[in-house]
Amino acid sequence: MEYIDIEGMSDEEVDGRIREIKARLGSRVFMPVHHYQRDEIVQFADVTGDSLQLSRVSAKTDAEFIVFCGVYFMAEIARILAPPDKHVFIPDKYAGCPLADYASIDDVLKVWEHLDHDDFIPITYANSHAEIKAFCGENNGLVCTSSNAAKLFNWVLGNLKKVFFLPDVNLGINTSEALGLKDYTIVDGSTSDFSGINDKNVVIWNGNCPIHRVFTIDHVRYWREKEPEAKIIVHPECTPDVVKVSDMTGSTAGIKRAVEDSPAGSRWVIGTELNFVERLKRQNPDKFIAPLEDSICMNMSKIRRRKLLKTLIRIENGDYSEEVVVSSEISEKARIAINRMLELS
Ligand code: 13P
């Protein structure tokens, strides 16, 4: 095997090698890239998108190798949806999601014991571990993303059931409030008083995203004063007080669409991950675009060009030792919950 000094190469050489390998692998390799990735990765994307869009394309691709550039739970979704003979990789397996880490299966099961199983349907945000998705699949539940949470809450309520929502308290409250549901309660692994819990329409897990909790109403006030003409659009993982004083919310794809569809000269202040906001700014030079505050997802940022090159070299060498693995038992149950989302949205 040829020795390649990847660390000693210039960025241009690394990019050149990535291009060569991608060209040699052709349609055998497919690279979905989340909007929060760095430009150095986005340039190689076969498709960019939000969590829902990337789940859909991962389910459909015929490629033998999926190199998912995002965080681990996204690569896990691709693994769960892809046929068993495909190989799924992420260039850095330690690109985790602190929001997903808020809900361990043991803690969730402890709370579930206290809920009336005939009444409650669990919905987990995609930003969760595969075991939590499997728990939902096993209990008539489903997965949601930021772009379809309201629709899927409505599906549960329309079936005269109640929602047990995991693991994002902000998305849970923002969605409940948008639907006019005021009788929610918040739980986590430390909850010991379950009195009255079965009278609630929505029970929400107390996790949150460190990237989005950074944004405050003071940031909104600052920009209202500095840029009174600007529309403030934030991701629904932001805290409810920030969402209330903003003009709009949207998934990453929703934010992108709102900005791109606005006329030249439009002014936007955006409350979500900085890599994405900076790229929107470069791609829309005829508009004013500013981040509500600088907030970088360090996990998304772990995916770098050299790690991508190493992954592609391993694939060419037939070394699948680093592929993403989800047990068949968890996969089968989690697939039910993800497919239910894909069918309903
Ligand atoms: P989107 O589904 O909006 O892309 O969000 C994914 C995410 O992880 C936000 O923190």
Side-chain angles (χ1 to χ4, degrees):
M1 209 179 294
E2 181 198 1
Y3 171 72
I4 307 171
D5 177 17
I6 294 176
E7 302 309 322
M9 280 181 183
S10 68
D11 289 351
E12 292 68 29
E13 283 174 292
V14 173
D15 289 356
R17 291 274 185 153
I18 292 172
R19 257 180 224 109
E20 279 166 28
I21 301 182
K22 269 203 87 198
R24 278 199 297 273
L25 289 170
S27 60
R28 294 177 67 205
V29 69
F30 179 64
M31 247 186 81
V33 174
H34 188 263
H35 285 310
Y36 289 165
Q37 290 289 291
R38 296 167 182 265
D39 282 356
E40 69 181 63
I41 299 299
V42 169
Q43 63 173 326
F44 299 113
D46 290 314
V47 61
T48 55
D50 69 1
S51 305
L52 180 62
Q53 293 168 330
L54 296 181
S55 301
R56 281 195 195 289
V57 293
S58 300
K60 282 193 189 137
T61 178
D62 290 329
E64 203 177 327
F65 308 108
I66 299 175
V67 178
F68 204 108
C69 296
V71 284
Y72 196 75
F73 77 81
M74 297 179 178
E76 251 180 3
I77 293 176
R79 171 62 283 165
I80 290 163
L81 293 176
D85 60 331
K86 313 283 181 197
H87 302 277
V88 178
F89 299 86
I90 179 168
D92 187 331
K93 280 190 161 183
Y94 298 99
C97 173
L99 167 57
D101 293 341
Y102 272 97
S104 73
I105 188 64
D106 291 346
D107 284 348
V108 169
L109 289 175
K110 264 191 258 162
V111 171
W112 182 240
E113 263 178 38
H114 296 271
L115 296 179
D116 185 335
H117 297 183
D118 288 334
D119 276 355
F120 279 90
I121 289 200
I123 303 183
T124 185
Y125 190 29
N127 303 37
S128 57
H129 297 302
E131 290 76 12
I132 302 293
K133 295 183 177 86
F135 157 77
C136 291
E138 229 179 341
N139 290 287
N140 302 314
L142 63 167
V143 172
C144 78
T145 70
S146 56
S147 57
N148 58 21
K151 193 173 192 175
L152 299 179
F153 267 50
N154 269 335
W155 177 77
V156 170
L157 299 165
N159 283 307
L160 304 180
K161 300 284 183 187
K162 301 169 173 196
V163 175
F164 177 34
F165 186 69
L166 303 150
D168 185 352
V169 72
N170 295 322
L171 181 62
I173 295 178
N174 290 329
T175 307
S176 301
E177 301 236 332
L179 297 175
L181 300 164
K182 299 280 178 209
D183 61 335
Y184 52 80
T185 191
I186 295 162
V187 293
D188 62 21
S190 66
T191 303
S192 55
D193 179 5
F194 293 96
S195 51
I197 197 164
N198 284 302
D199 299 332
K200 302 290 178 186
N201 262 329
V202 188
V203 173
I204 305 174
W205 199 262
N206 195 16
N208 63 71
C209 166
I211 317 322
H212 288 94
R213 73 169 177 239
V214 161
F215 304 111
T216 65
I217 47 176
D218 284 340
H219 295 131
V220 176
R221 278 196 199 113
Y222 168 84
W223 281 105
R224 291 273 187 230
E225 208 161 293
K226 191 166 155 52
E227 283 292 332
E229 300 296 311
K231 282 223 157 42
I232 299 182
I233 185 165
V234 300
H235 196 278
E237 287 176 25
C238 290
T239 55
D241 57 345
V242 168
V243 166
K244 270 193 201 114
V245 295
S246 299
D247 297 305
M248 299 156 80
T249 60
S251 73
T252 52
I255 293 172
K256 187 168 185 285
R257 211 176 308 119
V259 169
E260 287 173 351
D261 291 352
S262 65
S266 299
R267 306 181 86 73
W268 292 95
V269 173
I270 304 178
T272 194
E273 208 272 342
L274 189 64
N275 275 305
F276 172 55
V277 179
E278 292 292 342
R279 186 159 50 252
L280 277 180
K281 190 170 162 176
R282 282 192 293 281
Q283 289 172 342
N284 294 272
D286 58 340
K287 293 160 197 167
F288 171 87
I289 294 172
L292 185 55
E293 169 66 347
D294 293 359
S295 186
I296 294 186
C297 178
M298 298 314 288
N299 282 289
M300 285 279 180
S301 295
K302 282 179 183 163
I303 312 294
R304 305 300 303 263
R305 50 162 62 82
R306 284 173 179 72
K307 293 178 189 169
L308 173 58
L309 176 56
K310 284 178 196 166
T311 300
L312 291 171
I313 290 173
R314 277 199 206 99
I315 290 175
E316 264 209 320
N317 289 336
D319 170 3
Y320 307 151
S321 56
E322 292 286 308
E323 75 180 307
V324 174
V325 178
V326 180
S327 78
S328 55
E329 192 197 340
I330 295 291
S331 275
E332 270 166 39
K333 294 174 185 166
R335 195 178 303 122
I336 295 170
I338 302 168
N339 280 336
R340 199 169 276 139
M341 165 185 79
L342 294 175
E343 280 157 22
L344 289 168
S345 55

